[in-house]
Each structure stands twice: as C-alpha cells, then as structure tokens.
Amino acid sequence: MTKSAVQTGIPSSSSSSSSSASGARSLAPGLILASLGAVAFSGKAIIVKLAYRYGVDAITLIMLRMLFALPLFAVMAWWAGRGKPALTLRDWFGVAGLGFSGYYLASFLDFAGLAYISASFERLILYLNPTLVLLFGWLLYRRRATRPQVLGMIVSYAGVLLVFGHELWIGGGGKGGGAAAWGTFLVFLSAVSYAAYLVYSGEFVKRLGSLRLVGLATTVACLLCILQFALTRPMSAAMQVAPEVIWLSVLNATLCTAVPVLMVMMAIERIGPAMAAQTGMIGPLSTILMGVVILGEPFTAWIAAGTVLVIAGIFVFTRTGR
C-alpha cells in the first residue's frame, strides 16, 4: 500500500483487487453448494420418470423413497435438536401440519403428476413457488405486490402456459392431451401445497431452527407416506417391484432428497438466502438437460422459449421482492 493510501485511509488498487479476490474465494464454496443442491434436487424428477418405466405406481414409489430417507431425516432432527428445549404440544401440531403440506402432500402430488408430463415441464411449474407465496401473502395478510413483481409473475406464467400448450400438442407423452392437463394440475397443486408450507413455516423456523424443522417435518411426511402405502396396498407389493426401482429409490432418498437439503442449508449460511435462491435458477436448466440426455425428452423451441420466460420472470420477481 502506498504512503498516500495509508494517510487517506483509501485502499490502493492492489489491495482492492486482493480483497475482491478474497471475497470471491469466500463466496465460492457457498455458490458451489447451492449449485450442486439445485442440480441434485432437479434430479428427483429424472429418477421418478426412470422408475415409472418399470411399471411402479406413485404410491409405491413415494413410499420407497420416504422409507429410505426416514433414517436420514430422523438423525437430522435429532442432531439439530440436541440441547434445545423440548417441543410443546403446539409445536408438534405445527410440525405435523407442515410435514403434511410441505413434504407429504406436495411430494405425492408431484410424483403423481410426473406420470403424465415431462420432467422439464414439472420443474418449470414447481419453479413458480415464489409467486404462489406472494399470492398467499396477499390473500391472507393483504400484502401488496409491486409492479415489477406483477410483471415478473405475468412473464413466468406466460412461459408455463407456452410449455403447457406444447405438452397438450404432443399429447402428454403419448397419453393424450387430457392426461397432460391432469398431470399439470397435479404438479401445480403440489407447488401450491409447498407454498403453503413456506408461508406458515416462518414462525416455527424462528423457534425451532430451519434444520430441526426440516428434519421433523420430513420425518412426519415419511411416516405418512409409509402409512398411505400400508392402507392402500398389500405389504407384499413392496417386494414385488423391479430391483432397479429399489436402487433408484435409494438414490432418490439420498442424492436427490437428504443431501441437497443439507447442501442448500450450508449454502444459505455462507452466501445468504437471496443469492442461494438466485443460484437455484440453474435447477430448471439442469432438469431439461438431464431430461434430454437421460430420458430422451424432446427439446424444442417452445420449451426453450418457455424456460427463458419462466426464469426471466422469476429473476425479476425475486430481485424486486427483496
């Protein structure tokens, strides 16, 4: 640093560049974690579509995923709750409700919808979550949206409608336009269910902590999925699925469920929720790429245009909503 820089307190160009490099290095681990978490989350749809090729139904498939994920989330809840106060009865009711809405119902509707629409379209619908949270806030708390937020919503939904029209045109993967519409409706309801979880989870996150809440809520969801299977299917049906479905479910429970939850949590601690959310925009792109390469899904100008609109709209929406 030069003498004048010392006297004035203004850093020299060399010190500025070194501090910038240091800042970039400190952000790098968080950005990498957020990126890997987004890609891993997106891989869930690919694995579900692969499993459907072996004749398994949604109830059995989600039960297997949650069965293998249950020990991981139970350990997560125990680890995050060490030394913390015990949950009150009100806390348990809240956790049960959030687990039902955010992880059981949202996951089941998502799995069911994926039987009728492409993985890339599913990811675009789920990516509308921030707009649904805003709509919930307006309906429940009368929180007004800004003009840029409304513009972002319009652009995003226009992109989804564009890809929806393409799905109807190609007949929902050969199952007819009605099937594509039904799958779209189910996945959209999944997004609504998860948005409700996000809206109502704020109070419990402050009291329990995000990691403890996620661990407890997902444990509840795992038990509900197992109970649903036990009430609707003979237990022997779980042993009659193809071995490939078992391995895909293990992969889904670990690499695409538990691991990305931890990655995103660690990323938020390092770079904050806003930057982590922006980095998560690579999720739809990675789903489209994996869908084309792994599943052989078509990539057309309609899908490309719809994806650009959805991502651009959500980018505008989240940037102006901070």
Side-chain angles (χ1 to χ4, degrees):
M1 187 179 292
T2 63
K3 182 178 179 181
S4 59
V6 173
Q7 291 173 338
T8 59
I10 302 174
S12 65
S13 58
S14 60
S15 63
S16 298
S17 59
S18 63
S19 62
S20 298
S22 173
R25 283 195 299 270
S26 65
L27 287 176
L31 293 173
I32 292 172
L33 286 169
S35 300
L36 292 176
V39 173
F41 269 131
S42 301
K44 175 262 300 176
I46 306 300
I47 290 178
V48 171
K49 297 291 284 187
L50 286 173
Y52 277 146
R53 294 179 177 180
Y54 296 96
V56 66
D57 62 89
I59 292 177
T60 303
L61 189 58
I62 195 171
M63 183 279 296
L64 290 172
R65 175 210 191 192
M66 294 306 208
L67 179 66
F68 295 124
L70 177 57
L72 302 174
F73 286 123
V75 170
M76 182 188 300
W78 167 78
W79 180 268
R82 292 174 308 145
K84 303 290 180 61
L87 270 66
T88 64
L89 184 60
R90 180 172 177 270
D91 289 335
W92 279 115
F93 276 117
V95 166
L98 293 173
F100 174 84
S101 172
Y103 295 103
Y104 163 71
L105 186 60
S107 295
F108 174 69
L109 292 171
D110 183 35
F111 273 51
L114 272 168
Y116 304 101
I117 62 175
S118 65
S120 54
F121 185 37
E122 176 258 8
R123 182 51 45 183
L124 291 182
I125 297 172
L126 295 183
Y127 209 62
L128 296 175
N129 255 309
T131 67
L132 295 172
V133 170
L134 178 72
L135 289 174
F136 269 114
W138 177 72
L139 290 172
L140 298 174
Y141 308 113
R142 295 299 175 186
R143 295 173 183 163
R144 299 184 62 181
T146 64
R147 288 185 179 179
Q149 284 178 323
V150 173
L151 175 62
M153 290 176 63
I154 293 173
V155 172
S156 295
Y157 282 87
V160 168
L161 289 174
L162 189 64
V163 182
F164 175 62
H166 177 265
E167 291 276 328
L168 290 180
W169 180 261
I170 65 175
K175 298 182 180 179
W182 177 242
T184 302
F185 179 65
L186 289 174
V187 175
F188 184 74
L189 287 181
S190 171
V192 171
S193 183
Y194 190 72
Y197 162 81
L198 293 176
V199 169
Y200 286 106
S201 64
E203 174 191 350
F204 292 92
V205 168
K206 293 177 182 177
R207 192 157 62 248
L208 305 180
S210 57
L211 194 60
R212 189 183 186 190
L213 177 62
V214 168
L216 290 170
T218 47
T219 298
V220 169
C222 290
L223 295 174
L224 289 173
C225 289
I226 295 171
L227 178 63
Q228 179 186 33
F229 178 83
L231 294 176
T232 59
R233 303 285 189 276
M235 295 305 295
S236 59
M239 306 303 298
Q240 296 171 358
V241 299
E244 291 84 356
V245 173
I246 298 295
W247 290 112
L248 287 169
S249 297
V250 171
L251 188 63
N252 200 350
T254 54
L255 187 62
C256 300
T257 303
V259 171
V261 165
L262 292 175
M263 284 183 173
V264 172
M265 290 289 184
M266 293 167 66
I268 290 174
E269 288 179 353
R270 288 163 173 77
I271 61 177
M275 190 174 293
Q278 298 294 338
T279 307
M281 288 185 176
I282 69 172
L285 300 177
S286 64
T287 303
I288 292 173
L289 179 60
M290 288 187 287
V292 172
V293 174
I294 300 175
L295 301 177
E297 292 183 349
F299 181 71
T300 65
W302 296 94
I303 295 176
T307 302
V308 169
L309 286 174
V310 171
I311 293 178
I314 295 298
F315 179 78
V316 171
F317 181 89
T318 55
R319 292 279 293 183
T320 57
R322 281 188 255 166

